[in-house]
Amino acid sequence: MKRFLMLLALPLLLGAASPSVTPKPSPALIHASHAWIRYLLPGLPAAGYMTLTNTGDATTRLVKASSVDCDTLMLHESKTESGTATMTMVKSITIPAHGRVRLAEGGYHLMCTKPKMTVGGNVGITLSFSDGSNLLLLVPVYGPAGPREG
Ligand SMILES: [Cu+2]
C-alpha cells in the first residue's frame, strides 16, 4: 500500500519541480479525407485519390499501400515535362507535421493493377507509414468522371 501511494505521488512531484514543462510532442496522426478510386475497365489500372492530413507533431511518410482488390497498389507520381505526362513509382510520400498532402490528378496517387471492383462499391485499402502505424480505409469506387457534383 505504501509503494502504491508513492507511485501516485511521483507524477505530482515531477510536475511541481518543473511547472512550465512543455508537453511531449505527439506522434504523427494521419486522417484521410475525400478518398475515392477511379475505375475504368477490368484490364486497366485504377487510380486512388485522397487528402492525407497529419494532426500530430511528427512528420511521417506513407511508405506502402495494399488492397486485396488489387494485384499491386503502388505509390505513383504523375509529372508533365515538356508537354509529356509520365508516371513514376515513388518510395514514399512525406506528410509533414501539422500539414497535408493531396493525392490528386496530375500528382501523387495510388495505382491499383488488375483491379477487382465495381463502380458504386467500396475497396478496402491499408496505408502503412514510416513510424509503423497503419490506416485502414474503405474507399468508394467511381467511374471515369469521378465524384463530381452536378
Ligand atoms: Cu499511376
Side-chain angles (χ1 to χ4, degrees):
M1 192 59 193
K2 196 174 181 187
R3 182 176 292 173
F4 178 67
L5 286 173
M6 280 179 67
L7 284 174
L8 276 180
L10 191 59
L12 296 173
L13 289 172
L14 286 173
S18 48
S20 63
V21 65
T22 48
K24 198 168 168 262
S26 68
L29 189 60
I30 305 297
H31 303 279
S33 56
H34 308 294
W36 65 285
I37 290 176
R38 172 180 280 134
Y39 176 75
L40 303 171
L41 290 165
L44 292 176
Y49 304 113
M50 67 188 68
T51 299
L52 294 173
T53 304
N54 183 357
T55 56
D57 297 325
T59 292
T60 191
R61 287 175 295 119
L62 173 63
V63 292
K64 188 177 185 288
S66 60
S67 172
V68 293
D69 299 312
C70 305
D71 204 29
T72 59
L73 188 56
M74 296 175 281
L75 309 181
H76 265 197
E77 186 176 18
S78 294
K79 275 181 183 165
T80 304
E81 278 163 16
S82 31
T84 309
T86 57
M87 279 197 302
T88 52
M89 238 167 100
V90 292
K91 278 189 174 163
S92 65
I93 297 170
T94 299
I95 308 128
H98 303 286
R100 66 173 59 184
V101 169
R102 281 188 74 211
L103 278 62
E105 291 165 76
Y108 290 125
H109 57 278
L110 305 179
M111 190 112 272
C112 168
T113 63
K114 297 189 181 157
K116 296 172 276 288
M117 57 188 70
T118 50
V119 171
N122 290 285
V123 169
I125 289 178
T126 302
L127 302 179
S128 304
F129 299 91
S130 55
D131 58 9
S133 66
N134 292 297
L135 187 62
L136 273 60
L137 303 173
L138 202 56
V139 180
V141 180
Y142 289 87
R148 282 175 201 146
E149 287 160 73

